[in-house]
């Protein structure tokens, strides 16, 4: 009982002060804040395979030029390497594309968490004018006239409809889990899986307090936090845009201004540029900025390099899907 109360308190503190929360956790003793990634059990392989085809098919965009994979390039970390994405007609968006790898573990989807599930998330890009720019009736009519119709009958026992398209794509995304990293092998007891610098980087990641927000199997994705915990103000060079209000746009609560989902850091070495603005080009700069904004600390270059080395151990490149 006492243990439960202590845990509940540590969780409550995490919302108020990352550093204090980490200390409380460390005093409570015991487990590492990062857990190994595990494949998700029970994903229907036939649904996932149909979802894989749909994910790569530009037929889902208005002019047939853009697929999910255009912006979530699976062999390049599941993002697009651009500050902001480019959709149909060369239209540009306003936020950076996160990776789709391990998104299945997010407490909600999008930077502001406005979609509760992977299934709901699909509506966003499909209808966004700067992304795929289409609508469900158009997509369903095309699918019905294509070889997909037979595949939907086999897998779902029915003609293509929106819930089935969403379910198939979400099933595929639930297979995009990057298991087997060196860090996870180290967690599993393989002491030699990490170098001395990488272990030192992990120790710093915990002692600075990064792990109070970036934690769990995905090293993020399991809470919302304010960007600018210690230093307030936006980070967008040209001044704030409505999207920079983050979670406030979903809940309307003043306390949610500039609050974002803490992103997973599992593939962070593969997915520059950084932050929802996509304006920070290098990982080193992102780490320094986090020190200043979230922890009120200037992190010296040596520690930045060690933390970056640790972050590189969080993914096994062999776990990325090939096109
Ligand atoms: C034009 C580029 C583009 C296309 C096409 C696109 N996305 Fe995205 N995706 C983005 C951007 C940008 C975001 C972040 C948007 C936001 O948070 O407001 C995003 C967010 C996501 C997320 C949430 C990840 C997270 O960590 O919150 C998932 C999942 C996702 N996309 C899957 C898909 C799927 C499935 C498709 C195809 C149906 C698709 N995307 C098509 C650019 C794109
Ligand atoms: C108080 C919570 C909190 C703490 C502490 C914290 N972060 Fe973050 N981190 C966030 C949030 C929220 C974002 C997303 C902000 C945005 O883009 O709007 C983020 C984003 C990032 C990104 C960019 C990821 C991407 O894909 O764009 C990196 C890298 C990062 N953090 C590393 C760190 C490191 C290293 C530390 C410790 C020095 C740290 N963070 C401490 C909450 C936190």
């Amino acid at each position: 009982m006492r243990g439960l109360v202590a845990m509940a308190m540590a969780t409550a503190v995490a919302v108020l002060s990352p550093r204090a929360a980490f200390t409380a956790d460390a005093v409570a003793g015991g487990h590492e804040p990062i857990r190994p990634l595990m494949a998700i059990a029970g994903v229907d392989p036939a649904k996932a395979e149909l979802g894989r085809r749909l994910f790569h098919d530009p037929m889902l965009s208005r002019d047939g030029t853009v697929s999910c994979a255009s912006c979530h390039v699976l062999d390049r970390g599941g993002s697009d390497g651009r500050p902001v994405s480019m959709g149909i007609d060369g239209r540009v968006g306003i936020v950076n594309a996160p990776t789709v790898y391990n998104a299945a573990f997010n407490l909600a989807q999008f930077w502001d968490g406005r979609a509760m599930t992977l299934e709901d998330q699909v509506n966003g890009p499909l209808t966004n004018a700067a992304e795929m720019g289409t609508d469900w009736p158009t997509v369903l009519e095309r699918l019905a006239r294509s070889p997909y119709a037979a595949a939907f009958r086999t897998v779902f026992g029915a003609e293509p409809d929106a819930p089935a398209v969403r379910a198939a794509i979400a099933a595929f995304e639930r297979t995009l889990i990057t298991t087997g990293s060196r860090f996870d092998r180290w967690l599993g007891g393989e002491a030699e899986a990490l170098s001395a610098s990488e272990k030192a980087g992990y120790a710093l990641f915990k002692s600075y307090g990064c792990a109070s927000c970036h934690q769990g199997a995905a090293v993020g994705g399991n809470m919302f936090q304010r960007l600018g915990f210690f230093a307030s103000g936006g980070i967008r060079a040209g001044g704030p845009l409505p999207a920079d209000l983050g979670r406030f746009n979903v809940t309307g609560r003043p306390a949610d201004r500039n609050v974002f989902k803490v992103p997973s850091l599992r593939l962070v070495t593969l997915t520059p540029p950084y932050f929802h603005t996509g304006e920070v080009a290098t990982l080193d700069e992102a780490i320094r900025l986090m020190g200043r904004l979230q922890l009120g600390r200037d992190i010296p270059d040596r520690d930045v390099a060690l933390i970056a080395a640790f972050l590189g151990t969080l993914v096994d490149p062999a776990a990325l899907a090939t096109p």
Side-chain angles (χ1 to χ4, degrees):
M1 189 60 203
R2 179 163 293 198
L4 276 180
V5 172
M7 263 174 64
M9 279 175 64
T11 312
V13 174
V15 178
L16 300 170
S17 163
R19 269 183 284 171
F22 181 73
T23 313
D25 209 28
V27 171
H31 65 269
E32 297 294 340
I34 300 176
R35 314 301 304 159
L37 277 171
M38 310 272 196
I40 296 178
V43 180
D44 180 335
K47 275 186 200 167
E49 171 55 18
L50 180 54
R52 189 190 65 76
R53 286 167 55 198
L54 292 166
F55 189 91
H56 289 89
D57 203 325
M59 183 198 254
L60 265 54
S61 66
R62 194 189 66 213
D63 61 2
T65 59
V66 172
S67 73
C68 309
S70 308
C71 300
H72 301 286
V73 189
L74 294 183
D75 58 345
R76 293 198 0 227
S79 184
D80 57 8
R82 299 171 185 273
V84 294
S85 295
M86 191 180 284
I88 55 166
D89 301 331
R91 288 193 216 173
V92 289
I94 37 175
V95 291
N96 181 252
T99 180
V100 281
Y101 283 102
N102 309 310
F105 294 113
N106 287 337
L107 84 164
Q109 304 300 328
F110 293 124
W111 287 100
D112 57 12
R114 66 187 178 278
M116 285 313 295
T117 62
L118 285 173
E119 282 82 355
D120 287 349
Q121 190 280 332
V122 174
N123 296 320
L126 200 95
T127 58
N128 186 321
E131 296 189 348
M132 301 168 101
T134 184
D135 53 67
W136 281 110
T138 307
V139 168
L140 295 176
E141 197 199 295
R142 276 188 205 162
L143 289 173
R145 286 190 278 105
S146 78
Y148 278 109
F152 274 86
R153 283 195 290 273
T154 309
V155 175
F156 289 95
E159 299 303 314
D161 62 7
V165 172
R166 288 191 288 254
I169 291 177
F172 171 58
E173 290 174 310
R174 290 192 178 97
T175 68
L176 298 175
I177 312 302
T178 55
T179 56
S181 69
R182 284 198 289 122
F183 187 79
D184 287 5
R185 281 163 37 207
W186 179 78
L187 280 178
E190 258 184 69
E192 302 307 310
L194 298 189
S195 71
S197 326
E198 290 161 351
K199 285 177 206 169
Y202 178 46
L204 290 168
F205 188 80
K206 292 191 285 186
S207 62
Y208 274 110
C210 314
S212 60
C213 292
H214 299 278
Q215 49 159 275
V219 197
N222 63 2
M223 64 177 94
F224 294 105
Q225 289 284 352
R226 177 163 304 104
L227 176 64
F229 207 94
F230 276 81
S232 60
I235 59 165
R236 199 181 285 272
L241 294 177
D244 301 331
L245 286 171
R247 191 100 188 112
F248 174 79
N249 291 328
V250 181
T251 67
R253 291 172 43 210
D256 283 337
R257 291 172 93 91
N258 309 321
V259 167
F260 293 89
K261 185 179 67 202
V262 175
S264 165
L265 299 184
R266 275 283 175 182
L267 283 89
V268 78
T269 49
L270 306 178
T271 59
Y274 299 107
F275 297 108
H276 75 276
T277 56
E279 289 183 338
V280 175
T282 68
L283 184 56
D284 285 6
E285 187 47 33
I287 295 169
R288 271 186 219 107
L289 200 58
M290 277 282 116
R292 285 201 296 275
L293 292 177
Q294 307 304 79
L295 298 160
R297 303 275 298 268
D298 280 317
I299 304 181
D301 289 352
R302 188 179 158 277
D303 289 0
V304 168
L306 291 170
I307 292 172
F310 150 68
L311 293 172
T313 70
L314 290 172
V315 66
D316 174 7
L320 302 189
T322 42

